[in-house]
Each structure stands twice: as structure tokens, then as C-alpha cells.
């Protein structure tokens, strides 16, 4: 088991995705972030079924940094209730995991 985590977060547009990525990297709360554009999210919001084009962020970080990472996302995200989901990383390529730790220290 490692302390590496993947955090999923969707953004409504490139500008907000870029802003969040820049802040997380500047504060060393993430080592790498993938932006996957062209995502369609279908969800229930305030009693209605909604459909939105979004950008999926896959944020690579460490479990000990989750709280400041979560606060950073909330401070820079335009949504009232943004997606912030954590997936633990049970194993990985050790040199990559070492790099991730170095970049988030």
C-alpha cells in the first residue's frame, strides 16, 4: 500500500480547470494532473436531470495532503458542490511513486 491517491474533479470549462491545476501544482498539493476534455456528465441536480459538457481532472497526490487539496479546489471551483472523490493507489511503479512524493513535499 502507498500513500498515493487519485482525486477526481470535474470542471465546467478549460479556464476553471487550468486555474485549479495551476494552484494545486504551485502549492505542491499535486504532482501531476490530467485534464480530459469532452466529458459529458448526466446527473440529477435540484430535482432535475441535467447534462453538461465538462473537463475531468485526475489529480495525483498523497493522502496526507487531501485536506489542503480539497480546500484549494473549493476555493477556486465555480460549482456550488464540486466533485471531489478520492481513490487510493494500492500499488504503482516505485520510481513514479517516488517522484510523486518528491513533487508534493
Amino acid at each position: 500500500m502507498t500513500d498515493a491517491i487519485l482525486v477526481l474533479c470535474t470542471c465546467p470549462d478549460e479556464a476553471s480547470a487550468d486555474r485549479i491545476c495551476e494552484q494545486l501544482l504551485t502549492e505542491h498539493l499535486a504532482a501531476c494532473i490530467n485534464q480530459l476534455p469532452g466529458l459529458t456528465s448526466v446527473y440529477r441536480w435540484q430535482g432535475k436531470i441535467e447534462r453538461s459538457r465538462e473537463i475531468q481532472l485526475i489529480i495525483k497526490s498523497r493522502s496526507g495532503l487531501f485536506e489542503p487539496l480539497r480546500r484549494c479546489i473549493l476555493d477556486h471551483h465555480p460549482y456550488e458542490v464540486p466533485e471531489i472523490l478520492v481513490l487510493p493507489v494500492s500499488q504503482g511503479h516505485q520510481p513514479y511513486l517516488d517522484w510523486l512524493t518528491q513533487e508534493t513535499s
Side-chain angles (χ1 to χ4, degrees), residues 62-73:
R62 294 184 296 120
S63 59
L65 296 175
F66 175 68
E67 267 312 306
L69 185 149
R70 183 185 72 81
R71 282 193 308 273
C72 184
I73 291 172

Side-chain angles (χ1 to χ4, degrees), residues 29-53:
L29 297 173
C32 175
I33 305 167
N34 302 117
Q35 292 186 13
L36 305 175
L39 175 78
T40 300
S41 292
V42 182
Y43 53 96
R44 184 177 304 279
W45 179 249
Q46 298 179 341
K48 296 188 309 187
I49 295 176
E50 302 283 346
R51 179 179 299 265
S52 300
R53 298 290 287 171

Side-chain angles (χ1 to χ4, degrees), residues 46-61:
Q46 298 179 341
K48 296 188 309 187
I49 295 176
E50 302 283 346
R51 179 179 299 265
S52 300
R53 298 290 287 171
E54 294 183 300
I55 296 173
Q56 179 73 61
L57 300 181
I58 303 174
I59 304 161
K60 285 84 166 205
S61 187

Side-chain angles (χ1 to χ4, degrees), residues 1-91:
M1 194 63 147
T2 74
D3 70 340
I5 57 172
L6 299 177
V7 179
L8 303 179
C9 178
T10 52
C11 295
D13 53 44
E14 192 173 328
S16 62
D18 286 345
R19 183 173 53 251
I20 290 168
C21 290
E22 183 76 24
Q23 200 62 43
L24 290 172
L25 292 168
T26 297
E27 294 183 26
H28 296 272
L29 297 173
C32 175
I33 305 167
N34 302 117
Q35 292 186 13
L36 305 175
L39 175 78
T40 300
S41 292
V42 182
Y43 53 96
R44 184 177 304 279
W45 179 249
Q46 298 179 341
K48 296 188 309 187
I49 295 176
E50 302 283 346
R51 179 179 299 265
S52 300
R53 298 290 287 171
E54 294 183 300
I55 296 173
Q56 179 73 61
L57 300 181
I58 303 174
I59 304 161
K60 285 84 166 205
S61 187
R62 294 184 296 120
S63 59
L65 296 175
F66 175 68
E67 267 312 306
L69 185 149
R70 183 185 72 81
R71 282 193 308 273
C72 184
I73 291 172
L74 292 174
D75 288 347
H76 296 91
H77 205 291
Y79 288 168
E80 183 180 335
V81 181
E83 172 192 67
I84 304 174
L85 298 174
V86 177
L87 305 173
V89 175
S90 61
Q91 295 182 42

